[in-house]
Amino acid sequence: MDMLSFSKQYIRLEMHACALACLLMVPTADVRNKQTEILLESGCHCKILKELDAFTTEKRIVPLANQIQTAIFKYVEGHSLYQSLLGTGHTEAFIQYLITENKINALLCKDSSSEIKDLLLQHCTKDTTNQLQKILDEFDKGQIESPLT
């Protein structure tokens, strides 16, 4: 199947989450990555996350929801667009992604201000807050090396 054509149709219908799902099923990695990048460069990453939320609220099944979310988080992290997600309903999932992928240190090194730390801690549940606080404490004590060096 030509998933690129399906994706373009979904974009015309302003169903960006479905468009991204189609792109994630493109078998050729180079084409998949390039087209995904083009879609997300249009600035629709927050819109796609809102669409996923709406589907969830409407109890609609989105088969690739986790992969869509991961692709967006990877894009946001790779382009240092952290501020676009911090303070939104996706902050906790994004922080969990950064912790799981061992990329939280990069965020802390890019912006080690107390403002960013407070913002991170404000938007987490108790479990994530405890996990994040431990990382922040280690970072402040210099026990975690910068991934930028």
Side-chain angles (χ1 to χ4, degrees), residues 11 13 18 20 23-24 62 76 79 82 85 101 103 108 129 137 140 145:
I11 290 170
L13 295 170
C18 296
L20 182 53
L23 292 176
L24 293 174
V62 182
V76 167
H79 290 81
Y82 302 108
L85 293 182
E101 296 296 316
K103 295 183 179 194
L108 295 174
T129 299
D137 291 344
D140 288 340
E145 289 188 31

Coordinates of all heavy atoms in Angstrom, one line a residue, residues 11 13 18 20 23-24 62 76 79 82 85 101 103 108 129 137 140 145:
I11 N -3.6 14.6 5.7 CA -3.1 16.0 5.9 C -4.1 17.0 5.4 O -4.5 18.0 6.0 CB -1.7 16.3 5.3 CG1 -0.7 15.5 6.2 CG2 -1.4 17.7 5.3 CD1 0.7 15.4 5.6
L13 N -7.2 16.6 5.2 CA -8.4 16.5 6.1 C -8.0 17.1 7.5 O -8.9 17.1 8.4 CB -8.9 15.1 6.2 CG -9.4 14.5 4.9 CD1 -9.7 13.0 5.1 CD2 -10.7 15.2 4.5
C18 N -3.4 10.8 12.2 CA -3.5 9.7 11.2 C -2.5 9.8 10.1 O -2.0 8.8 9.7 CB -4.9 9.8 10.7 SG -6.2 9.5 11.9
L20 N 0.6 11.0 10.5 CA 1.8 10.5 11.0 C 1.8 9.0 11.2 O 2.8 8.3 11.0 CB 2.1 11.2 12.4 CG 3.4 10.8 13.1 CD1 4.6 11.0 12.2 CD2 3.6 11.7 14.4
L23 N 2.7 7.6 8.0 CA 4.1 7.7 7.7 C 5.0 6.7 8.5 O 6.0 6.2 8.0 CB 4.6 9.2 8.0 CG 4.0 10.2 7.1 CD1 4.5 11.6 7.6 CD2 4.5 10.0 5.7
L24 N 4.6 6.4 9.7 CA 5.3 5.5 10.5 C 5.3 4.1 10.0 O 6.1 3.2 10.3 CB 4.8 5.5 12.0 CG 5.1 6.8 12.7 CD1 4.4 6.8 14.1 CD2 6.6 7.1 12.9
V62 N -6.5 4.1 18.6 CA -5.5 4.5 17.7 C -4.4 3.5 17.8 O -3.6 3.5 18.7 CB -5.0 6.0 18.0 CG1 -3.9 6.4 17.0 CG2 -6.1 6.9 18.1
V76 N 10.8 16.5 19.3 CA 10.9 17.6 20.2 C 12.3 17.6 20.9 O 12.9 18.7 21.0 CB 9.8 17.6 21.3 CG1 10.0 18.5 22.4 CG2 8.4 17.9 20.6
H79 N 15.1 18.5 18.4 CA 15.2 19.9 17.9 C 15.1 20.9 19.1 O 14.9 22.1 18.9 CB 14.0 20.2 17.0 CG 14.2 19.5 15.7 ND1 13.9 18.1 15.5 CD2 14.6 19.9 14.5 CE1 14.1 17.8 14.2 NE2 14.6 18.9 13.6
Y82 N 11.8 21.7 23.8 CA 11.2 21.3 25.1 C 10.1 22.2 25.6 O 9.1 21.7 26.1 CB 12.4 21.3 26.2 CG 13.5 20.5 25.8 CD1 14.8 21.0 25.5 CD2 13.5 19.1 25.9 CE1 15.8 20.2 25.2 CE2 14.5 18.3 25.7 CZ 15.7 18.8 25.3 OH 16.8 18.0 25.0
L85 N 6.3 21.6 25.0 CA 5.6 20.6 25.8 C 5.5 20.8 27.3 O 4.6 20.3 27.9 CB 6.2 19.2 25.5 CG 6.0 18.7 24.1 CD1 6.6 17.3 23.9 CD2 4.6 18.7 23.6
E101 N 14.6 7.1 27.9 CA 15.6 7.1 26.8 C 17.0 7.7 27.3 O 17.9 7.9 26.5 CB 15.1 8.0 25.7 CG 13.9 7.4 25.0 CD 14.1 6.1 24.3 OE1 15.1 5.9 23.7 OE2 13.3 5.2 24.5
K103 N 17.8 10.7 28.3 CA 18.0 12.0 27.7 C 17.7 13.1 28.6 O 17.7 14.3 28.1 CB 17.3 12.0 26.3 CG 17.8 11.0 25.4 CD 17.1 11.1 24.0 CE 17.7 10.1 23.1 NZ 17.4 10.3 21.7
L108 N 18.6 19.0 31.2 CA 19.2 19.7 32.4 C 20.4 20.5 32.0 O 20.7 21.6 32.6 CB 19.4 18.7 33.5 CG 18.2 18.0 34.0 CD1 18.6 16.9 35.0 CD2 17.2 19.0 34.7
T129 N 7.7 12.4 40.0 CA 8.4 13.5 40.8 C 9.5 12.9 41.6 O 10.6 13.4 41.6 CB 7.4 14.2 41.7 OG1 6.4 14.8 40.9 CG2 8.1 15.3 42.5
D137 N 18.7 15.8 42.0 CA 19.7 15.8 43.1 C 21.1 15.3 42.7 O 22.1 15.9 43.0 CB 19.2 15.0 44.3 CG 18.0 15.5 45.0 OD1 17.7 16.8 44.8 OD2 17.3 14.8 45.7
D140 N 22.6 18.0 40.5 CA 23.1 19.2 41.3 C 24.4 18.9 42.0 O 25.2 19.7 42.2 CB 22.0 19.6 42.3 CG 20.8 20.3 41.6 OD1 21.0 20.8 40.4 OD2 19.7 20.4 42.2
E145 N 27.1 13.1 34.8 CA 28.0 13.8 33.8 C 27.1 14.4 32.7 O 26.1 13.8 32.3 CB 29.0 12.9 33.2 CG 30.1 12.6 34.2 CD 31.3 11.8 33.5 OE1 31.5 12.1 32.3 OE2 31.9 11.0 34.2

